Every structure is written in structure tokens, then in C-alpha cells.
Amino acid sequence: KLAAKVMAGKKLSELDYPERSRGKVAVKEVVYPFGNLPGVDPLLGPEMQSTGEVMGIAESFDEAYYKAELAAENELPTSGTVLLSIRDEDKSEVLQIARELREFGLGLVGTEGTASYLGERGIGVEKVNKINQGSPDVLEIVGEIDLIINTPTEGEKPHRDGYKIRRAAVDLKIPYITNLQAAHAAVRAIKNTRRTRLPVRTIDEDQP
């Protein structure tokens, strides 16, 4: 009940909840069975239910988020290449994400609209063709990608490129992100993990 009120905008101080922090942050992540559902678009809807959940615990949100993604078999890369395919209304917000990924030394590949938008703003992105627009297209190179950030358009259909990219990510076990809030969190987690060694302790070791 408290968590629901906080998510709705309340502060713990307003709810008369005493601070009980032990200096740890926990991030829980759901696990979905998309790998066992051939052809299903791995986009979340209100009717979907997870088949499990995992949790990362650390001294910072960034570390805890990285651990949660790792446990959910969606390990965020600290090197390699990121594919960006972003809908028009999200392009301005992806600028900072793309800049930071480049600063970390990750390569960027983008579909036509995304690559053009970022390139015009000084961010080097290798353009890749859409499906059926010439070889190599995005599906032909997706196996060489280490992370996919794809924000879907409203009412996207199975014949569209976005669906095929997301489905390929599931089939090839490539980590993927479909909203920019998660993308921002992932960038922070990648930055933190590149800077410091990821600490791992058992629950027993973590007891006061």
C-alpha cells in the first residue's frame, strides 16, 4: 500500500513512515516468457503477467539496476554496439542517451530516421537500412548488436520493422529496451559498472 502511494507521488515523510534504510537499494525486475512464445511481440500490455521476478541489491540504484537486469538475463553491455530505432516523438530525448553511450566508447547503429536525426546534431551513428531496403538491412546485422533500444510507434503491427527487431532480440537473446525511462537507467548502470567493479555478496554476508 505504501509503495503504491509513493508511485502516485506521495513522499514517505507525508505518510508518517519512519526511515528504516540500511544504506541499500533494491531493484526488482519481472521475467516474461517471450522466449517460449514464438512470434509474440515482446511489448508489455496491461493483460500480461510475468512468470517470475528477480532482484538486485546494492549500495546504489545504478548497481542494483544492473544486477537486476543481469539476473533477468538481460545483461547490459559495457562495450560493443548499440542499435537505436526511436519513434519520432522520442528522438529529442534520446540525444543525451546517445551522447553518453558514445562517451563510454560504445558504437552506435541506427535506422534511417534515428541515424539522420542524431547525425545532424553531431552524434556519429552508422546508418543501417530498414528491412527490404537493401543489404545489409537491420535484421541482417542484428546478430552483431550488443544492446537494442527501440521505442515502438502506437498500434505497431507485426509486419513493421520494430516488431521484427524486437522479436529478433528475443530469439537471439540480445538485451533490449523499449522505453526511454529504462534507457536512461541503463546508461547510468553501464557507466557505473564500467567505472567500478561490480560487487557481489551473499545474503548472509549482507546481514548487519
Side-chain angles (χ1 to χ4, degrees), residues 119-135:
E120 290 167 1
R121 288 154 182 81
I123 302 174
V125 179
E126 181 182 347
K127 187 182 82 170
V128 62
N129 291 326
K130 290 186 176 182
I131 300 170
N132 299 323
Q133 287 190 344
S135 184

Side-chain angles (χ1 to χ4, degrees), residues 11-188:
K11 295 184 181 299
L12 287 176
S13 59
E14 299 172 357
L15 301 174
D16 194 29
Y17 182 77
E19 184 175 341
R20 301 178 183 177
S21 172
R22 288 172 45 203
K24 303 292 181 184
V25 177
V27 174
K28 297 184 78 173
E29 176 66 285
V30 295
V31 178
Y32 288 91
F34 293 122
N36 298 325
L37 301 171
V40 171
D41 191 344
L43 279 180
L44 304 184
E47 75 286 357
M48 293 181 176
Q49 297 184 8
S50 69
T51 54
E53 59 183 21
V54 294
M55 182 168 67
I57 304 175
E59 295 183 357
S60 70
F61 169 82
D62 302 338
E63 285 183 11
Y65 185 85
Y66 191 95
K67 287 181 177 181
E69 293 301 311
L70 179 62
E73 298 185 351
N74 198 47
E75 182 177 359
L76 300 172
T78 55
S79 62
T81 304
V82 180
L83 170 65
L84 300 170
S85 183
I86 309 298
R87 63 184 180 180
D88 289 343
E89 52 265 47
D90 291 337
K91 283 186 169 66
S92 61
E93 191 176 344
V94 84
L95 275 170
Q96 184 61 30
I97 292 170
R99 284 195 185 100
E100 292 193 61
L101 290 171
R102 288 287 292 177
E103 288 173 5
F104 304 158
L106 278 75
L108 300 181
V109 174
T111 48
E112 183 177 8
T114 303
S116 297
Y117 181 89
L118 294 174
E120 290 167 1
R121 288 154 182 81
I123 302 174
V125 179
E126 181 182 347
K127 187 182 82 170
V128 62
N129 291 326
K130 290 186 176 182
I131 300 170
N132 299 323
Q133 287 190 344
S135 184
D137 65 32
V138 64
L139 277 191
E140 291 176 317
I141 63 97
V142 74
E144 304 168 15
I145 299 299
D146 300 286
L147 172 65
I148 295 171
I149 301 176
N150 165 249
T151 58
T153 55
E154 189 72 26
E156 194 165 290
K157 303 298 183 183
H159 68 275
R160 298 290 297 272
D161 282 22
Y163 158 78
K164 295 178 180 178
I165 292 169
R166 292 188 296 275
R167 190 61 234 182
V170 171
D171 294 338
L172 297 174
K173 301 186 185 306
I174 300 169
Y176 68 98
I177 295 169
T178 58
N179 67 80
L180 293 185
Q181 293 94 333
H184 281 294
V187 166
R188 288 177 51 183

